[in-house]
Amino acid sequence: MPRASRGFAATLAPALAAVITWGIFSFAAAEESLAMRRGLVFASGPLILLAGLHARLFGFLHAPERMRLLPLPLRARAHWRSATREHGPGLLWSGVLGCAAVGLSGGDSAGALAVEFAGFVVMAALVEPAIAGAAALLGRRFEDGSSLADIQRSAGGGWTTPEAVVHLYAPALGLGLAALLALPGQLTWERWVDGKALEAQHVALSLVPVAIGVGLRLAAGWAYAQGLWEAVPRLAEATVTLAGPPTPEHEPAWLRILGPRMSPWSRLMATQFWRLAPLPGLRLGAVLGLAVVFALRGDPPGVVGVALAAVAVGIWAAPLGPMLRQRHARARLAGSLPLPAGPRQGRGRSAALLFAAPAVILTLVVALRVALAGSV
């Protein structure tokens, strides 16, 4: 995952999760259930942060530059600082989106709920680097017959190399720990917002988890330095093993049918877009399926329907970021060919219209149904 792709994943995935959260919170606000909305803060916090967690933590151990820089005379502290500089903006973006999703959901308690969400984000800022530290410390190869080696083999179930098993569990467990540590402070805040008196034990129970989070943050750098030099090569080996040989995917059936009617350049760009999108058929089916449902149903799409449409459009548009970043590579390929100016610059107008068509159709259907409902 190149650096630009990591930034795109860290931006889009939390945004889609925030849209889902906004829709759910808007529905809960309409029901005027404060207890339900407070429970949703506890549940949606890990959802939004988990959406971009892999991209935020990618620079610590997974990044290709980490493997390339290991032979250089750099201290582990330099690797740590480089990765934390990528982690901070991504976490801030996810936190702002989550607070906005809660705050814009309506209701008298939206501001107080946004503060609760912000408290969880602060705790996640302390705990998330410890995920990378634990992954580095436990991502090493241990002596055969030791308890840690046995745990690695049994927990992996043969799906990956033993040294990479920690990466299957550490992210989710780390965010779960952050949610657990943030809970006492959230309950204390709710008690104060409800007008109840705060006693010494309430404050103490809120500060102890903060102290634990600070301790984990301080220990994360040490754990990372202990395991960096061995964990990164082991993880790179596991990644190559899982990826298999670099064989391209087959050309989709729909492109073989439409291919004779398309220019070679448009066919090339369509193939590239289709291969850059994981599960492209499912993405396309979700967008067009929602468009059909919203067009045929009697009631106009509500807040949840609009949120679902936005999520479907965002998921379909996700490969556009990598497509734009590969424009220069396409320009180098087409620069010496007898093609029009657009393709020689790495662009394709007809292919762009083809990519945008499903999202435009769904957006127009939702906009027309909402507009018609408002005019009645």
Side-chain angles (χ1 to χ4, degrees), residues 50-114:
L50 186 62
L53 182 61
H54 178 67
R56 292 197 300 272
L57 298 183
F58 193 85
F60 286 98
L61 297 171
H62 295 76
E65 61 265 25
R66 202 62 57 226
M67 185 67 179
R68 291 196 299 265
L69 295 175
L70 278 188
L72 300 181
L74 297 174
R75 295 184 176 182
R77 186 181 304 172
H79 292 274
W80 179 259
R81 286 199 301 265
S82 175
T84 51
R85 280 196 295 268
E86 294 184 26
H87 172 261
L91 180 61
L92 179 62
W93 170 251
S94 297
V96 170
L97 287 174
C99 291
V102 175
L104 296 176
S105 61
D108 298 335
S109 60
L113 294 176

Short mmCIF file of all heavy atoms in Angstrom, two decimals, residues 50-114:
data_model
loop_
_atom_site.label_atom_id
_atom_site.label_comp_id
_atom_site.label_asym_id
_atom_site.label_seq_id
_atom_site.Cartn_x
_atom_site.Cartn_y
_atom_site.Cartn_z
N LEU A 50 -11.99 1.73 13.87
CA LEU A 50 -11.53 0.49 13.26
C LEU A 50 -11.51 0.58 11.74
O LEU A 50 -10.69 -0.07 11.07
CB LEU A 50 -12.43 -0.67 13.70
CG LEU A 50 -12.00 -2.08 13.27
CD1 LEU A 50 -10.64 -2.43 13.86
CD2 LEU A 50 -13.04 -3.11 13.70
N ALA A 51 -12.39 1.42 11.17
CA ALA A 51 -12.48 1.54 9.72
C ALA A 51 -11.16 2.01 9.11
O ALA A 51 -10.80 1.59 8.00
CB ALA A 51 -13.61 2.49 9.34
N GLY A 52 -10.44 2.89 9.77
CA GLY A 52 -9.18 3.39 9.22
C GLY A 52 -7.97 2.96 10.00
O GLY A 52 -6.87 3.50 9.79
N LEU A 53 -8.12 1.98 10.90
CA LEU A 53 -7.02 1.60 11.79
C LEU A 53 -5.85 1.00 11.02
O LEU A 53 -4.68 1.33 11.29
CB LEU A 53 -7.53 0.61 12.84
CG LEU A 53 -6.49 0.15 13.88
CD1 LEU A 53 -5.98 1.33 14.69
CD2 LEU A 53 -7.10 -0.91 14.80
N HIS A 54 -6.13 0.11 10.07
CA HIS A 54 -5.03 -0.53 9.34
C HIS A 54 -4.19 0.51 8.60
O HIS A 54 -2.95 0.44 8.59
CB HIS A 54 -5.58 -1.56 8.36
CG HIS A 54 -4.52 -2.23 7.54
ND1 HIS A 54 -3.58 -3.07 8.09
CD2 HIS A 54 -4.23 -2.16 6.21
CE1 HIS A 54 -2.77 -3.50 7.13
NE2 HIS A 54 -3.15 -2.97 5.99
N ALA A 55 -4.85 1.48 7.96
CA ALA A 55 -4.11 2.51 7.25
C ALA A 55 -3.30 3.38 8.21
O ALA A 55 -2.18 3.80 7.88
CB ALA A 55 -5.07 3.37 6.44
N ARG A 56 -3.85 3.66 9.41
CA ARG A 56 -3.12 4.49 10.37
C ARG A 56 -1.90 3.77 10.93
O ARG A 56 -0.86 4.39 11.17
CB ARG A 56 -4.04 4.89 11.53
CG ARG A 56 -5.15 5.83 11.15
CD ARG A 56 -5.75 6.49 12.37
NE ARG A 56 -6.30 5.54 13.31
CZ ARG A 56 -7.54 5.06 13.27
NH1 ARG A 56 -8.34 5.44 12.29
NH2 ARG A 56 -7.98 4.22 14.18
N LEU A 57 -2.01 2.46 11.15
CA LEU A 57 -0.90 1.71 11.74
C LEU A 57 0.01 1.08 10.69
O LEU A 57 1.00 0.45 11.06
CB LEU A 57 -1.46 0.61 12.65
CG LEU A 57 -2.30 1.06 13.85
CD1 LEU A 57 -2.73 -0.14 14.67
CD2 LEU A 57 -1.52 2.05 14.72
N PHE A 58 -0.30 1.26 9.42
CA PHE A 58 0.46 0.60 8.36
C PHE A 58 1.93 1.01 8.39
O PHE A 58 2.82 0.21 8.11
CB PHE A 58 -0.17 0.95 7.01
CG PHE A 58 0.33 0.10 5.88
CD1 PHE A 58 -0.23 -1.13 5.62
CD2 PHE A 58 1.37 0.55 5.06
CE1 PHE A 58 0.22 -1.92 4.57
CE2 PHE A 58 1.83 -0.23 4.01
CZ PHE A 58 1.25 -1.47 3.77
N GLY A 59 2.20 2.26 8.70
CA GLY A 59 3.58 2.75 8.66
C GLY A 59 4.49 2.18 9.72
O GLY A 59 5.71 2.24 9.57
N PHE A 60 3.96 1.60 10.78
CA PHE A 60 4.80 1.10 11.86
C PHE A 60 5.57 -0.15 11.45
O PHE A 60 6.78 -0.25 11.63
CB PHE A 60 3.96 0.81 13.11
CG PHE A 60 3.51 2.03 13.84
CD1 PHE A 60 2.24 2.55 13.63
CD2 PHE A 60 4.35 2.68 14.72
CE1 PHE A 60 1.81 3.68 14.30
CE2 PHE A 60 3.94 3.82 15.41
CZ PHE A 60 2.66 4.31 15.19
N LEU A 61 4.88 -1.13 10.87
CA LEU A 61 5.50 -2.42 10.56
C LEU A 61 5.24 -2.89 9.13
O LEU A 61 6.08 -3.56 8.54
CB LEU A 61 5.01 -3.49 11.55
CG LEU A 61 5.34 -3.29 13.02
CD1 LEU A 61 4.61 -4.31 13.88
CD2 LEU A 61 6.83 -3.37 13.26
N HIS A 62 4.08 -2.57 8.56
CA HIS A 62 3.69 -3.11 7.27
C HIS A 62 4.30 -2.37 6.09
O HIS A 62 4.42 -2.94 5.01
CB HIS A 62 2.17 -3.08 7.10
CG HIS A 62 1.44 -3.97 8.06
ND1 HIS A 62 1.27 -3.63 9.39
CD2 HIS A 62 0.83 -5.17 7.89
CE1 HIS A 62 0.58 -4.59 9.99
NE2 HIS A 62 0.30 -5.53 9.11
N ALA A 63 4.64 -1.10 6.25
CA ALA A 63 5.04 -0.27 5.11
C ALA A 63 6.28 -0.82 4.41
O ALA A 63 7.23 -1.23 5.07
CB ALA A 63 5.30 1.16 5.58
N PRO A 64 6.29 -0.83 3.08
CA PRO A 64 7.48 -1.32 2.37
C PRO A 64 8.73 -0.52 2.70
O PRO A 64 9.83 -1.08 2.74
CB PRO A 64 7.09 -1.16 0.89
CG PRO A 64 5.60 -1.16 0.88
CD PRO A 64 5.19 -0.51 2.16
N GLU A 65 8.59 0.78 2.96
CA GLU A 65 9.78 1.57 3.28
C GLU A 65 10.39 1.17 4.61
O GLU A 65 11.58 1.38 4.84
CB GLU A 65 9.45 3.07 3.29
CG GLU A 65 8.41 3.49 4.31
CD GLU A 65 7.02 3.55 3.71
OE1 GLU A 65 6.77 2.85 2.71
OE2 GLU A 65 6.19 4.30 4.25
N ARG A 66 9.59 0.59 5.49
CA ARG A 66 10.17 0.13 6.76
C ARG A 66 11.17 -0.99 6.51
O ARG A 66 12.25 -1.02 7.10
CB ARG A 66 9.03 -0.36 7.67
CG ARG A 66 9.36 -0.36 9.14
CD ARG A 66 9.68 1.02 9.66
NE ARG A 66 8.61 1.96 9.44
CZ ARG A 66 8.80 3.18 8.97
NH1 ARG A 66 10.00 3.60 8.65
NH2 ARG A 66 7.77 4.00 8.79
N MET A 67 10.82 -1.92 5.61
CA MET A 67 11.74 -3.01 5.27
C MET A 67 12.96 -2.48 4.54
O MET A 67 14.09 -2.94 4.79
CB MET A 67 10.99 -4.04 4.42
CG MET A 67 11.80 -5.28 4.09
SD MET A 67 12.15 -6.27 5.56
CE MET A 67 13.07 -7.62 4.79
N ARG A 68 12.78 -1.50 3.66
CA ARG A 68 13.91 -0.97 2.90
C ARG A 68 14.88 -0.19 3.79
O ARG A 68 16.08 -0.16 3.52
CB ARG A 68 13.40 -0.05 1.79
CG ARG A 68 12.67 -0.78 0.67
CD ARG A 68 12.55 0.12 -0.55
NE ARG A 68 11.78 1.34 -0.23
CZ ARG A 68 10.49 1.46 -0.45
NH1 ARG A 68 9.79 0.46 -0.95
NH2 ARG A 68 9.87 2.59 -0.16
N LEU A 69 14.36 0.44 4.83
CA LEU A 69 15.21 1.27 5.68
C LEU A 69 15.88 0.50 6.81
O LEU A 69 16.75 1.05 7.49
CB LEU A 69 14.38 2.42 6.28
CG LEU A 69 13.83 3.44 5.28
CD1 LEU A 69 12.94 4.45 5.99
CD2 LEU A 69 14.97 4.16 4.56
N LEU A 70 15.48 -0.73 7.04
CA LEU A 70 16.06 -1.49 8.16
C LEU A 70 17.58 -1.64 8.06
O LEU A 70 18.27 -1.54 9.09
CB LEU A 70 15.41 -2.87 8.26
CG LEU A 70 14.07 -2.97 8.98
CD1 LEU A 70 13.68 -4.44 9.14
CD2 LEU A 70 14.11 -2.31 10.33
N PRO A 71 18.17 -1.90 6.87
CA PRO A 71 19.63 -2.05 6.84
C PRO A 71 20.40 -0.76 7.09
O PRO A 71 21.61 -0.82 7.34
CB PRO A 71 19.89 -2.57 5.40
CG PRO A 71 18.59 -3.10 4.92
CD PRO A 71 17.55 -2.24 5.58
N LEU A 72 19.75 0.39 7.01
CA LEU A 72 20.44 1.66 7.22
C LEU A 72 20.71 1.88 8.71
O LEU A 72 20.00 1.38 9.57
CB LEU A 72 19.61 2.80 6.66
CG LEU A 72 19.30 2.75 5.16
CD1 LEU A 72 18.49 3.96 4.74
CD2 LEU A 72 20.58 2.66 4.35
N PRO A 73 21.74 2.66 9.01
CA PRO A 73 22.07 2.91 10.44
C PRO A 73 21.11 3.90 11.09
O PRO A 73 21.49 5.02 11.46
CB PRO A 73 23.50 3.46 10.36
CG PRO A 73 23.58 4.11 9.01
CD PRO A 73 22.73 3.26 8.10
N LEU A 74 19.86 3.50 11.17
CA LEU A 74 18.83 4.32 11.81
C LEU A 74 18.39 3.65 13.09
O LEU A 74 18.21 2.44 13.14
CB LEU A 74 17.62 4.50 10.87
CG LEU A 74 17.86 5.22 9.56
CD1 LEU A 74 16.60 5.18 8.70
CD2 LEU A 74 18.27 6.67 9.80
N ARG A 75 18.20 4.43 14.12
CA ARG A 75 17.70 3.90 15.38
C ARG A 75 16.21 3.61 15.28
O ARG A 75 15.50 4.15 14.42
CB ARG A 75 17.97 4.89 16.52
CG ARG A 75 19.44 5.11 16.82
CD ARG A 75 19.61 6.02 18.03
NE ARG A 75 21.01 6.18 18.39
CZ ARG A 75 21.43 6.90 19.42
NH1 ARG A 75 20.53 7.53 20.19
NH2 ARG A 75 22.72 6.98 19.68
N ALA A 76 15.75 2.76 16.15
CA ALA A 76 14.32 2.44 16.17
C ALA A 76 13.48 3.68 16.44
O ALA A 76 12.34 3.78 15.98
CB ALA A 76 14.04 1.37 17.23
N ARG A 77 14.06 4.64 17.15
CA ARG A 77 13.32 5.87 17.45
C ARG A 77 12.99 6.63 16.17
O ARG A 77 11.92 7.25 16.06
CB ARG A 77 14.16 6.75 18.37
CG ARG A 77 13.46 8.00 18.88
CD ARG A 77 14.37 8.81 19.77
NE ARG A 77 14.88 8.01 20.87
CZ ARG A 77 15.82 8.43 21.73
NH1 ARG A 77 16.35 9.65 21.58
NH2 ARG A 77 16.22 7.65 22.71
N ALA A 78 13.88 6.59 15.17
CA ALA A 78 13.60 7.28 13.91
C ALA A 78 12.44 6.61 13.17
O ALA A 78 11.57 7.29 12.61
CB ALA A 78 14.85 7.29 13.04
N HIS A 79 12.42 5.28 13.16
CA HIS A 79 11.29 4.57 12.55
C HIS A 79 9.99 4.89 13.29
O HIS A 79 8.94 5.07 12.67
CB HIS A 79 11.55 3.06 12.60
CG HIS A 79 12.68 2.61 11.73
ND1 HIS A 79 12.51 2.30 10.41
CD2 HIS A 79 13.99 2.42 12.01
CE1 HIS A 79 13.68 1.92 9.89
NE2 HIS A 79 14.59 1.98 10.84
N TRP A 80 10.06 4.96 14.62
CA TRP A 80 8.88 5.24 15.43
C TRP A 80 8.33 6.63 15.15
O TRP A 80 7.12 6.81 14.98
CB TRP A 80 9.25 5.08 16.91
CG TRP A 80 8.15 5.37 17.86
CD1 TRP A 80 7.96 6.51 18.58
CD2 TRP A 80 7.07 4.50 18.23
NE1 TRP A 80 6.84 6.41 19.38
CE2 TRP A 80 6.28 5.18 19.18
CE3 TRP A 80 6.71 3.21 17.87
CZ2 TRP A 80 5.15 4.62 19.75
CZ3 TRP A 80 5.59 2.66 18.43
CH2 TRP A 80 4.82 3.35 19.37
N ARG A 81 9.21 7.61 15.08
CA ARG A 81 8.76 8.98 14.81
C ARG A 81 8.13 9.10 13.43
O ARG A 81 7.14 9.79 13.24
CB ARG A 81 9.94 9.96 14.95
CG ARG A 81 10.37 10.24 16.37
CD ARG A 81 11.18 11.53 16.44
NE ARG A 81 12.36 11.43 15.59
CZ ARG A 81 13.57 11.07 16.01
NH1 ARG A 81 13.75 10.76 17.29
NH2 ARG A 81 14.60 11.01 15.19
N SER A 82 8.73 8.44 12.44
CA SER A 82 8.18 8.49 11.09
C SER A 82 6.77 7.91 11.05
O SER A 82 5.87 8.46 10.40
CB SER A 82 9.10 7.73 10.13
OG SER A 82 8.53 7.66 8.84
N ALA A 83 6.56 6.79 11.73
CA ALA A 83 5.24 6.15 11.72
C ALA A 83 4.22 6.96 12.52
O ALA A 83 3.05 7.06 12.12
CB ALA A 83 5.35 4.74 12.27
N THR A 84 4.62 7.53 13.65
CA THR A 84 3.67 8.30 14.46
C THR A 84 3.23 9.57 13.75
O THR A 84 2.12 10.05 13.98
CB THR A 84 4.28 8.65 15.82
OG1 THR A 84 5.57 9.24 15.64
CG2 THR A 84 4.44 7.40 16.69
N ARG A 85 4.08 10.12 12.89
CA ARG A 85 3.67 11.31 12.12
C ARG A 85 2.54 10.97 11.16
O ARG A 85 1.71 11.83 10.85
CB ARG A 85 4.87 11.89 11.37
CG ARG A 85 5.78 12.74 12.23
CD ARG A 85 6.69 13.59 11.38
NE ARG A 85 7.61 12.78 10.59
CZ ARG A 85 8.84 12.43 10.98
NH1 ARG A 85 9.28 12.83 12.17
NH2 ARG A 85 9.62 11.71 10.21
N GLU A 86 2.50 9.75 10.65
CA GLU A 86 1.38 9.34 9.80
C GLU A 86 0.15 8.98 10.63
O GLU A 86 -0.98 9.17 10.18
CB GLU A 86 1.79 8.12 8.96
CG GLU A 86 2.87 8.39 7.94
CD GLU A 86 3.14 7.18 7.09
OE1 GLU A 86 2.23 6.34 6.95
OE2 GLU A 86 4.27 7.04 6.56
N HIS A 87 0.38 8.47 11.83
CA HIS A 87 -0.74 8.01 12.65
C HIS A 87 -1.58 9.17 13.17
O HIS A 87 -2.81 9.10 13.18
CB HIS A 87 -0.20 7.18 13.82
CG HIS A 87 -1.23 6.81 14.82
ND1 HIS A 87 -1.40 7.50 16.01
CD2 HIS A 87 -2.17 5.84 14.83
CE1 HIS A 87 -2.39 6.96 16.70
NE2 HIS A 87 -2.87 5.96 16.00
N GLY A 88 -0.95 10.24 13.58
CA GLY A 88 -1.67 11.34 14.21
C GLY A 88 -2.74 11.97 13.36
O GLY A 88 -3.91 12.08 13.78
N PRO A 89 -2.44 12.42 12.13
CA PRO A 89 -3.48 13.05 11.31
C PRO A 89 -4.64 12.12 10.99
O PRO A 89 -5.79 12.55 10.95
CB PRO A 89 -2.72 13.45 10.03
CG PRO A 89 -1.29 13.57 10.46
CD PRO A 89 -1.10 12.53 11.52
N GLY A 90 -4.35 10.84 10.76
CA GLY A 90 -5.43 9.91 10.48
C GLY A 90 -6.38 9.75 11.66
O GLY A 90 -7.60 9.70 11.48
N LEU A 91 -5.82 9.67 12.86
CA LEU A 91 -6.67 9.54 14.05
C LEU A 91 -7.47 10.82 14.29
O LEU A 91 -8.65 10.77 14.66
CB LEU A 91 -5.80 9.22 15.27
CG LEU A 91 -6.54 9.05 16.58
CD1 LEU A 91 -7.53 7.90 16.50
CD2 LEU A 91 -5.57 8.83 17.74
N LEU A 92 -6.84 11.98 14.06
CA LEU A 92 -7.56 13.24 14.22
C LEU A 92 -8.73 13.33 13.24
O LEU A 92 -9.83 13.76 13.61
CB LEU A 92 -6.59 14.41 14.01
CG LEU A 92 -7.20 15.81 14.13
CD1 LEU A 92 -7.76 16.04 15.53
CD2 LEU A 92 -6.16 16.88 13.78
N TRP A 93 -8.52 12.91 12.00
CA TRP A 93 -9.58 12.92 11.00
C TRP A 93 -10.74 12.03 11.42
O TRP A 93 -11.91 12.41 11.34
CB TRP A 93 -9.01 12.49 9.67
CG TRP A 93 -10.00 12.22 8.60
CD1 TRP A 93 -10.33 11.01 8.08
CD2 TRP A 93 -10.81 13.18 7.89
NE1 TRP A 93 -11.29 11.14 7.10
CE2 TRP A 93 -11.60 12.45 6.96
CE3 TRP A 93 -10.94 14.55 7.95
CZ2 TRP A 93 -12.50 13.08 6.11
CZ3 TRP A 93 -11.85 15.17 7.10
CH2 TRP A 93 -12.60 14.45 6.20
N SER A 94 -10.42 10.82 11.89
CA SER A 94 -11.48 9.91 12.32
C SER A 94 -12.23 10.49 13.52
O SER A 94 -13.46 10.37 13.60
CB SER A 94 -10.88 8.55 12.69
OG SER A 94 -10.27 7.94 11.57
N GLY A 95 -11.50 11.10 14.45
CA GLY A 95 -12.16 11.68 15.61
C GLY A 95 -13.08 12.84 15.25
O GLY A 95 -14.19 12.95 15.78
N VAL A 96 -12.63 13.70 14.34
CA VAL A 96 -13.47 14.83 13.91
C VAL A 96 -14.73 14.33 13.21
O VAL A 96 -15.83 14.84 13.44
CB VAL A 96 -12.65 15.77 13.00
CG1 VAL A 96 -13.56 16.80 12.34
CG2 VAL A 96 -11.56 16.46 13.80
N LEU A 97 -14.57 13.32 12.35
CA LEU A 97 -15.73 12.77 11.66
C LEU A 97 -16.72 12.16 12.65
O LEU A 97 -17.93 12.34 12.52
CB LEU A 97 -15.28 11.70 10.66
CG LEU A 97 -14.59 12.20 9.39
CD1 LEU A 97 -14.08 11.01 8.59
CD2 LEU A 97 -15.53 13.04 8.55
N GLY A 98 -16.21 11.41 13.62
CA GLY A 98 -17.10 10.80 14.60
C GLY A 98 -17.83 11.82 15.43
O GLY A 98 -19.05 11.71 15.66
N CYS A 99 -17.12 12.85 15.89
CA CYS A 99 -17.78 13.90 16.68
C CYS A 99 -18.81 14.65 15.84
O CYS A 99 -19.89 15.01 16.33
CB CYS A 99 -16.73 14.87 17.23
SG CYS A 99 -15.64 14.19 18.49
N ALA A 100 -18.50 14.87 14.54
CA ALA A 100 -19.46 15.55 13.68
C ALA A 100 -20.69 14.69 13.44
O ALA A 100 -21.83 15.19 13.43
CB ALA A 100 -18.80 15.90 12.35
N ALA A 101 -20.48 13.38 13.26
CA ALA A 101 -21.62 12.48 13.04
C ALA A 101 -22.55 12.48 14.23
O ALA A 101 -23.78 12.45 14.09
CB ALA A 101 -21.13 11.07 12.75
N VAL A 102 -21.99 12.51 15.44
CA VAL A 102 -22.80 12.54 16.65
C VAL A 102 -23.43 13.91 16.85
O VAL A 102 -24.61 14.04 17.18
CB VAL A 102 -21.96 12.12 17.87
CG1 VAL A 102 -22.76 12.26 19.16
CG2 VAL A 102 -21.45 10.69 17.71
N GLY A 103 -22.61 14.96 16.66
CA GLY A 103 -23.10 16.31 16.92
C GLY A 103 -24.17 16.78 15.96
O GLY A 103 -25.04 17.55 16.33
N LEU A 104 -24.10 16.30 14.69
CA LEU A 104 -25.08 16.74 13.68
C LEU A 104 -26.32 15.88 13.65
O LEU A 104 -27.20 16.10 12.81
CB LEU A 104 -24.42 16.72 12.30
CG LEU A 104 -23.26 17.70 12.08
CD1 LEU A 104 -22.66 17.50 10.70
CD2 LEU A 104 -23.72 19.13 12.27
N SER A 105 -26.39 14.90 14.54
CA SER A 105 -27.54 13.99 14.50
C SER A 105 -28.79 14.60 15.10
O SER A 105 -29.86 14.02 15.00
CB SER A 105 -27.19 12.70 15.25
OG SER A 105 -26.90 12.99 16.61
N GLY A 106 -28.68 15.77 15.72
CA GLY A 106 -29.85 16.41 16.31
C GLY A 106 -30.07 15.96 17.73
O GLY A 106 -29.41 15.07 18.26
N GLY A 107 -31.02 16.57 18.38
CA GLY A 107 -31.29 16.24 19.77
C GLY A 107 -30.58 17.18 20.72
O GLY A 107 -29.52 17.73 20.42
N ASP A 108 -31.17 17.35 21.90
CA ASP A 108 -30.60 18.27 22.88
C ASP A 108 -29.28 17.78 23.45
O ASP A 108 -28.47 18.57 23.93
CB ASP A 108 -31.60 18.48 24.03
CG ASP A 108 -32.89 19.12 23.55
OD1 ASP A 108 -32.85 19.80 22.50
OD2 ASP A 108 -33.93 18.91 24.20
N SER A 109 -29.04 16.48 23.41
CA SER A 109 -27.84 15.92 24.02
C SER A 109 -26.72 15.69 23.02
O SER A 109 -25.73 15.01 23.35
CB SER A 109 -28.18 14.58 24.69
OG SER A 109 -28.69 13.66 23.74
N ALA A 110 -26.83 16.23 21.80
CA ALA A 110 -25.82 15.96 20.78
C ALA A 110 -24.44 16.44 21.21
O ALA A 110 -23.44 15.76 21.02
CB ALA A 110 -26.23 16.63 19.46
N GLY A 111 -24.37 17.63 21.82
CA GLY A 111 -23.08 18.16 22.25
C GLY A 111 -22.43 17.30 23.33
O GLY A 111 -21.23 17.02 23.29
N ALA A 112 -23.22 16.87 24.30
CA ALA A 112 -22.68 16.02 25.36
C ALA A 112 -22.22 14.68 24.82
O ALA A 112 -21.19 14.14 25.25
CB ALA A 112 -23.75 15.82 26.45
N LEU A 113 -22.97 14.13 23.85
CA LEU A 113 -22.56 12.86 23.26
C LEU A 113 -21.28 13.02 22.45
O LEU A 113 -20.44 12.10 22.41
CB LEU A 113 -23.68 12.32 22.37
CG LEU A 113 -24.97 11.92 23.10
CD1 LEU A 113 -26.03 11.51 22.09
CD2 LEU A 113 -24.72 10.77 24.07
N ALA A 114 -21.11 14.16 21.78
CA ALA A 114 -19.88 14.41 21.03
C ALA A 114 -18.68 14.47 21.97
O ALA A 114 -17.59 14.01 21.63
CB ALA A 114 -20.00 15.70 20.23
#
